[in-house]
Amino acid sequence: MSLQTLFFSSLGVVFMSSALGANILAVFSCAFPSHLIVEISMAKVLAENGHNVTVITTLKPHVSHKNINLIYIPLTKEEQLSQDASIASMVERDNSNMVSALFRMRDQVSFAFKKNRNVMKDRRVIDLYENKDNQFDLVMIGYFLNDFQIGIAQKLKVPVVIATSMFQWEVFESMLGSVQAKPASFFSERLGNLIISNALRLFTYAIKLDNAKAYKELYGNDPSMPAYADLNKNVSLVLFNSYSFSEGPIRSSVPAVIEVGGIQIKDKPDPLPLKIANFLSDAKDGAILLCLGSNVKGAHLQPSTVKKMFNVLAKLKQKVIWKWEDLNKIPGKSENILFSEWVPQNDILAHPKIRLFINHAGRGGITESQFHGKPMLSLPVFGDQPANADKMVKDGFGLSMSLLTLEEQPFHDKIKEVLENPKYTQKVKAFSKLFRDRPLTARQSVLYWTEYVLRHHGAPHLQSPLVHMGFIAANNLDVYAFLTCISIFILSSCQFIVKLVYRKMTGNAHIRKLKIL
Ligand SMILES: *[C@@H]1O[C@H](CO)[C@@H](O)[C@H](O)[C@H]1NC(C)=O
Ligand SMILES: *[C@@H]1O[C@H](CO)[C@@H](O)[C@H](O)[C@H]1NC(C)=O
């Protein structure tokens, strides 16, 4: 190694270590477990690599670390009850239609929104920026339609990184500069995509009105704070829970999009609890994992649906691990079924004996199944679940049916089909290979890009100029208008000149004739 490279590489080390041991504040107050799981997995990577991470949550996180300081602001009793009730009511209705599901989601959205706002009024949170002893270098915001929380980064005057369990869609446009509508070759598809894209922009606009109000309420009395409209222009980058290289859609994207899909999945699975390990070890025909997520508790299901599911599963050759909260009230007894209050879903999916994952089409579960190459039968209930299930089926990784209209025969037939037709397993195994093949793992990406933002003081150079441009400039409307004027001027000048020349050459009589023609 030459002296020069030695010098520069040691300089590199200095740059790297200037980012080490940063104080990071993470606001992960969204009261949905599926969001927290993804977001806190990102914080954990930072904690494990020497950063001091203060995390604000409203739910008990499933991970802990000595470098994670928790500010836990739990749901009140009433909040807990109202959330349970709204989930139960959604389970009772048919939400197979995406638009009506979104519409019904509004109770959930407004519940999460109110809690997010109340969290920012908590004394412990206000103290983070009012008490000058607190020093932070970076703020992470767990994003679920809560732009106003970015205000805390402005209070602390530090860069902000967005962490989200969602994928790229129009709501992120104001942070990224642009989100391209999914390209498609067929006219009807393009038309549909464009309509959906603009409907989502409209939805975003409505969300922003609420956010502006909350922002004013929380920070409006501080003249040093930026206008709400400028808040999102300070976002350095967005960590998305997706990986479009393998999942699609392939579209043009900006550097501030960092995709870390699968971040919640451990590099190496942990050993299974003894009971589950023993149960699986003598499953000579393979095994099925049935887990309907953390939001839909067994008790929300119709007893008749549970009975139907039990009848089908009890007759299978395969063993079944069924996540069930209340072990005093199990749906029935059968040799081949193990009810378990708590299941380490990811570790079980990694087990070679698992041949099918029956889930509720939450993004987390589908991603884990895809990561481990396990085919699925999805029973979507509400929110984004029907759409997730549709995509999974379209990708060829399994089948789907509504949980609300479940009948024994089709449930049985679909299980058989996914177990016995090898095409689903082949497809998902091929996907798994693609999904894991990346230049940086999901965990490395979180670490690298967060430290990049720290090293480069928010890395504003990474931003698309579109972030700071208005609608007219961003869409070149002024340029089109200018070019149209010029074209009209040139065309009418040409016409005038042609007429003039023609008249000179042929005389007036002809022109009159031409006009009549
Ligand atoms: C880590 O953050 C906490 C909470 O902000 C703070 O009290 C503590 O002093 C920090 N530790 C270090 C080593 O900076
Ligand atoms: C956001 O603001 C902080 C502090 O004011 C600054 O350091 C950072 O560079 C800004 N980030 C962007 C992307 O503009």
Side-chain angles (χ1 to χ4, degrees), residues 26-31 35 39 56 109 112-117 119-120 140-152 160 162-164 166 169 171-172 175 204 207-208 210-212 214-215 218-219 228 231-232 235:
V27 186
F28 295 159
S29 56
C30 178
H35 288 246
E39 293 160 5
I56 303 171
V109 170
F113 189 86
K114 278 189 204 135
K115 186 65 188 172
N116 279 334
R117 189 188 53 202
V119 160
M120 302 317 272
M140 264 183 142
I141 302 286
Y143 189 76
F144 183 63
L145 315 175
N146 50 341
D147 312 38
F148 69 89
Q149 287 187 334
I150 296 172
I152 197 165
V160 47
I162 299 290
T164 179
M166 295 190 272
W169 62 284
V171 82
F172 294 100
M175 302 171 187
T204 300
I207 292 289
K208 301 236 173 226
D210 289 340
N211 271 279
Y215 181 69
L218 288 164
Y219 308 111
Y228 168 74
L231 215 51
N232 286 357
V235 170

Side-chain angles (χ1 to χ4, degrees), residues 246-401:
S246 49
E247 291 175 313
I250 299 298
R251 57 177 158 200
S252 44
S253 190
V254 297
V257 172
I258 305 297
E259 295 192 293
V260 299
I263 182 70
Q264 77 279 22
I265 304 170
K266 289 171 224 155
D267 290 340
K268 259 179 78 180
D270 290 334
L272 293 174
L274 213 58
K275 200 168 162 195
I276 294 179
N278 288 342
F279 183 73
L280 285 178
S281 69
D282 57 309
K284 59 182 193 312
D285 293 301
I288 296 170
L289 174 64
L290 166 57
C291 182
L292 296 181
S294 34
N295 261 347
V296 182
K297 303 204 171 80
H300 289 138
L301 294 172
Q302 293 282 351
S304 59
T305 306
V306 174
K307 191 79 206 143
K308 287 172 197 162
M309 291 169 73
F310 177 82
N311 290 345
V312 170
L313 295 171
K315 285 189 202 114
L316 294 174
K317 297 197 294 248
Q318 285 75 21
K319 293 206 162 191
V320 180
I321 299 173
W322 187 335
K323 185 188 177 217
W324 188 263
E325 269 80 18
D326 189 356
L327 292 184
N328 295 322
K329 268 194 264 166
I330 55 172
K333 267 203 156 89
S334 175
E335 276 284 290
N336 71 327
I337 301 181
L338 174 70
F339 291 97
S340 179
E341 242 177 317
W342 178 78
V343 298
Q345 180 170 294
N346 181 38
D347 302 328
I348 295 178
L349 285 173
H351 197 283
K353 287 276 171 70
I354 293 293
R355 291 182 49 202
L356 170 66
F357 179 30
I358 303 178
N359 58 38
H360 69 309
R363 263 171 63 70
I366 289 190
T367 304
E368 286 177 23
S369 208
Q370 289 176 169
F371 184 88
H372 293 295
K374 300 296 159 91
M376 289 165 261
L377 173 59
S378 282
L379 310 174
V381 182
F382 61 84
D384 62 342
Q385 296 161 5
N388 295 340
D390 285 351
K391 178 165 191 325
M392 184 278 288
V393 172
K394 210 167 145 213
D395 289 336
F397 305 155
L399 296 172
S400 139
M401 61 194 290

Side-chain angles (χ1 to χ4, degrees), residues 41-55:
S41 304
M42 300 185 193
K44 190 164 177 236
V45 175
L46 300 171
E48 284 170 352
N49 285 278
H51 298 290
N52 184 27
V53 193
T54 302
V55 185

